[in-house]
Amino acid sequence: TSSFNKPNFCKKFKGVLLISPYTSILELAKEIFWYVPVQWLLKENFDNIKYIDKIYSPVLIVHGKIDKLIPYA
C-alpha cells in the first residue's frame, strides 16, 4: 500500500486488491506501541486514507474479522 502515498501515482489498473489494509501506519503503531513515541521514530506516515481517492480503478478490500494486527472495522 505504500506506493499509493505518492500523489503522482495515478496509473490506470484493471483493479486494486487491498488485503487487511491500514489507514495510517502511524495510527496503527500508536495503538500497538502506545508506550513508545512512534511519531518520532517513523520516517514515513504512510497515510493511505489520504490518497485512496486518487485510485480510479475498482478497489476490492478484503479483511478478516480475527486479524490480530489490523483491527476489523
Side-chain angles (χ1 to χ4, degrees):
T1 54
S2 63
S3 300
F4 297 118
N5 280 326
K6 297 170 180 61
N8 59 356
F9 187 83
C10 59
K11 292 181 180 179
K12 182 72 175 174
F13 294 98
K14 299 243 185 223
V16 177
L17 173 62
L18 301 175
I19 301 173
S20 297
Y22 51 82
T23 55
S24 162
I25 198 70
L26 176 61
E27 293 306 314
L28 179 62
K30 282 181 180 180
E31 286 183 31
I32 296 171
F33 303 107
W34 52 267
Y35 51 89
V36 177
V38 291
Q39 65 273 15
W40 297 342
L41 301 174
L42 287 174
K43 191 172 187 177
E44 292 280 341
N45 183 11
F46 298 109
D47 190 10
N48 294 326
I49 199 76
K50 183 177 178 182
Y51 296 108
I52 193 70
D53 64 341
K54 306 286 188 262
I55 300 174
Y56 298 103
S57 303
V59 176
L60 173 63
I61 299 174
V62 179
H63 198 290
K65 290 184 179 179
I66 58 172
D67 190 320
K68 293 180 181 173
L69 184 60
I70 311 291
Y72 181 79

